[in-house]
Amino acid sequence: MPARKPTIDDVAALSGVGRATVSRVLNGGPNVRDEVRARVLEAVEKLQYKVNMQARFLAGGRTQVLGLIYASDLDSEPNSFYHSGLELGALRACTEFGFQLVMHTANQHSLTRATRIIEFVDQSRCDGLILTPPFSDDTDLLEQLQGRNVAVVCISPGEAAQKLASGVGIDDEVAAYELTRHLVGLGHRRFGFLKGLQGHLSAEQRYSGFLRALAQAGIGEDAVVAARGNFTFKSGIELTPGLLKDGQGITALVCANDDMAVGALFSIHKMGLNVPRDLSVVGFDDTPVSEIIWPPLTTVHQPLKAMGYRAVQMIVERVKTGGSAPPPRFEAIAHRVVIRESAAASQPAHV
Amino acid sequence: MPARKPTIDDVAALSGVGRATVSRVLNGGPNVRDEVRARVLEAVEKLQYKVNMQARFLAGGRTQVLGLIYASDLDSEPNSFYHSGLELGALRACTEFGFQLVMHTANQHSLTRATRIIEFVDQSRCDGLILTPPFSDDTDLLEQLQGRNVAVVCISPGEAAQKLASGVGIDDEVAAYELTRHLVGLGHRRFGFLKGLQGHLSAEQRYSGFLRALAQAGIGEDAVVAARGNFTFKSGIELTPGLLKDGQGITALVCANDDMAVGALFSIHKMGLNVPRDLSVVGFDDTPVSEIIWPPLTTVHQPLKAMGYRAVQMIVERVKTGGSAPPPRFEAIAHRVVIRESAAASQPAHV
DNA sequence: GCATTCGTTGGAAGCGCTTCCAATTCCGCT
DNA sequence: AGCGGAATTGGAAGCGCTTCCAACGAATGC
């Protein structure tokens, strides 16, 4: 039963042409008569022939393999959601374009993380690499990758990284701006803001988009009480009481991501306040919990699958054209403000 | 700069031995003098030589590649969590054993799903395959895989599947038994049960473990009101009111998974009841939400990472020994009942 | 009508590695 | 000293594919 798999020579023999011609047909090469092409394809079909990728690479140089790197020490929920989305999108694209997606993790805190990733690239001989945060911000790693012949695309890279490699992400500044406009439209005038990790580009941009919307509505930075969180549920829980105590008059709390928003909700609930009656809360990311929690969270949907898909597409474009590294380019994918029940009109009594 | 990568011949030349000897050293082969071995390793180090996996496969037959298959049309949270856990564990093992993990998805509802997966195996020439639900229960697929020379391990396979391939999972029956014992110990005597998908082995076993614990405590099936859900948050929301209305006296609600439990919590909250004061609720899986929700859910922790790790380990064992298919074997990984606040002592008033 | 191209085709040379097999060396023994 | 076998080692044959290059006939140019 497990008879030897058919090789290109079997196909050549069956269709009565040379091995080179079969190869040409298989790779869509030019200069093959239609009649011959048809004959070869028929033989391929009859033999259930599948090219051997390993052999193809050995001869050709392309592996048609893309690596997707993510941090192995992030195993809490938000990241599993984040990475799954990216991965699913990337996978769809890979299937479509005939590439393979191989996963690799690295310890984000390890000093040798760049080395480990470089090693992976050397070892797997992958044609392309998708870097997710925090690796998409590791300029050191990015520089080392330059010399290697791999197409790199970063997911939500930081500013410095954007100069070194192409990237995809959403426009956090605009998204935050739109989300805030929604709140302003609801009548809110005094805000709390739970910031994300210091130095994290998205975190900073979310804050500046927020401020821009406020400024446009004639609201100054003095109307906002901010606290620096770290994107975790826990920091949401811990920071919220302080914000509400110090910032009298706050009617809306903007969180740099959903996890902190859920933490805030938790904390607010404990304090005996009602959302959205007493306070509106909004998040960022549209994680699954945001829909399940009570009240469902108004947030910004981050199109992870589309991002993963686009990342692969960008790599494939570059690999297919075979050209040398084009100038790095950042591409923003359309986000969407998702309006649910955690944000409502500001109560006159609280203004 | 991107000078040609060193090949095995470069190493052979530098260390002054034959190519075959270098290969032997690289593969830990026997019959090499220590002095020679050291010399070769030194050359490898100096040249920063890395074997070319593609070439190695072409010559040797082993790809050292494992495929991890999951459903592409499951993109809701519970599954992203489930798959990420499995994947992370598998990845750790792959890194450790020097294998590569390549991902592949298939549409679980497509009629050609088995074909697509077979195609993937043929194409990628992977040495092993990890099948996650629902594919781990597809006997048709499993049978087609028999002929192919790949080591297959199923995650939480159904009964029929367990006869066709090895698998790992938790012992759902025992886990449910223990969870129920906990409830009984808390004084509960009348129960609601939200079942999982019909025909799903885990779902059925969770129910029978539950019944066994009840029986052991002298509680008959007449003390339970059950409803058939489908593992989703939504079904939890929809089914709960019916259970509470019809089953007067219920003080504890057992759900076949956390998502339904969270839905139940949601529903119960809407009805103006308090958990755990008026009613205890427990789930199954220990998804991230179960910790974040209020009240935190008492549930069973499913060691996903350990399962993924073990699955790879089983494959590696088989690939390394190179032997033909050993008899299928199911291995249960230790679970853990996680006690949180959603289940408390039964209130006398309600008994 | 003959030389020159162009479109097609097959032969053959590797790609970098494993592994069979024959050759060589090194022992312990007789 | 001489012999057999075990331990080492290198030569060489592929693994299945791409691609360069030469060869061929047909179509074009003058």
Side-chain angles (χ1 to χ4, degrees), chain B residues 305-325:
Chain B
K305 280 188 292 228
M307 286 161 58
Y309 186 95
R310 185 65 191 132
V312 169
Q313 217 173 23
M314 289 170 79
I315 292 179
V316 171
E317 274 165 21
R318 182 171 145 202
V319 170
K320 282 270 157 77
T321 65
S324 56

Side-chain angles (χ1 to χ4, degrees), chain A residues 10 12 55 132 195 216 231 238 242 313:
Chain A
D10 297 327
T132 66
K195 296 188 184 184
Q216 199 192 45
F231 285 136
E238 292 166 356
Q313 216 173 24

